[in-house]
Amino acid sequence: MPGRARIIVTNELPADLHWASAWQLREAVVTRRLSAVEVTRHFIERTARLDERTHAFFTLAADAALVQAEDIDRRIHRGEPVGPLAGVPISVKDQLWTKGIRTTGGSLVYVDHVPEQDSLHVLRVKAADGVIIGKTSTPEFGMFWRTVGRVAPECLNPWDPKRTAGGSSGGAAASVAAGFGPLALGTDAGGSIRLPAAMCGVLGVLPSNGRVPRHGSFGTTLFFSGVGPICRDTRDAAILLQLLAQPSVEDPLCRLDAAPDYLAQLDQGIAGLRLGWWEDRSVAREVDAAVIAAIRAAAFGLGSLGAHLVDDAVTFETDGIDKAWRVLDFVDRYAALGEALHGDPAARSKLTAYAQERFAWAKDVSGADYSRAVRRRAEFIRSFEAAFRNCDLVLSPTLGFTAPLIDSVGPAERIPALVAYTLAVNLAGFTAASIPCGFVDGLPIGLQVIAPPNQEALVLRAARAVEQAWPWTERKPVM
């Protein structure tokens, strides 16, 4: 990271509207400097013109978006109250249901599926007057680390189209990085928000288990599958997370307490916080030493903001957690969706190779295997909690290399080192964010900030401190 920058706070919109933050756009709309229709048309037209380069979207919902925008403008003209996302374009990962808008889950089985209801998350965005501009690409049911499948061409990285945008929320991250919208809804069961965010140079937030209710999507699991924001601005993340994180009777496993006020704590800084550094030496030969060194320098640079880096490095007992995660994740998806699809020869023939492989593997997992995985998860949570006795936040790489070249990996190849730092957080049920922290060889890298359950406000404070000291939005991909 460079030296600390002087921050100039301004509400002026950038010359290029597509790089404006969500809160700036909302302010421009409610003060009638811009209409919601003008903003919506700008992003729809930009996406339609440029997305051939990235394939970030499966479906653009231009007509429905303009109807939403027109209604918002009418209410503003009449002096009626509008929501905290009034006129803000937002994309939705195609795993989440959208009433009247095609939702495929990235699967040929559902290629023409149009839901009759919205997911809980989409309902909350609409209630806040966010404008749904379309559905971003996902691998089938969010089950692969590249956003590749049989519904549409693979999603490509805006910084280098020869590289992956990551997965499974690759379309969401690519859409934000490319300036197709300031906000995107993603999902994350093992790194699916944070990994694409790191590869595409944007902010991605994983809420802790149960903080955001689950209702209305393909591929939900009991322990994982968090829904969270992907964006370029920490304030935007706080606004969206505030909407998503309230309890709901639709999800019997969600938290029942009201979420803290994330905006109220956002600018409290990180002075006095104890920060630990976690570096997984078991994957040292599988990562890029230059990337690890750059992220480590960014992490230790937080000491200049008044935080205290603890002396002892953080370690976790990670033996067996990859298998435990696979059992819990794969079996839950099989129970919710895979059993019916894999058991139907016609449906099975439409599935990707990786979906067929996962469902077949899950079919043979025994009840005893599942019980052992639940126990290993409980043990791991204890070890994760122990690390936070001396730390308020744990810092790590989001991943130890830049976005891989697509041609360098097979279409269904799994890379264990890819999720070395993210999967553990999901298994423990903690909260984390991937924060842009620089570039290596012209490609973005991400710093992961981890906090205990229900401490999303602390993660957002850290992201905000980094954003203010070393602004990450100044460098943009050439589109």
Side-chain angles (χ1 to χ4, degrees), residues 8-9 45 52 169 185 244 262 273 320 338 355 395 437:
I8 301 174
V9 179
E45 290 171 2
E52 186 175 320
S169 302
L185 278 179
L244 300 175
Y262 300 130
L273 293 183
L395 313 178
C437 68

Side-chain angles (χ1 to χ4, degrees), residues 79-99:
E80 297 175 5
V82 290
L85 291 178
V88 175
I90 181 167
S91 66
V92 179
K93 186 179 180 181
D94 206 38
Q95 275 182 265
L96 301 171
W97 301 341
T98 41
K99 182 179 180 180

Side-chain angles (χ1 to χ4, degrees), residues 189 214 219-225 253 328-330 332-333 336:
R214 304 180 185 97
T220 298
T221 68
L222 295 177
F223 298 106
F224 315 130
S225 303
L253 299 177
L328 298 173
D329 184 85
F330 291 14
D332 282 355
R333 291 178 192 270

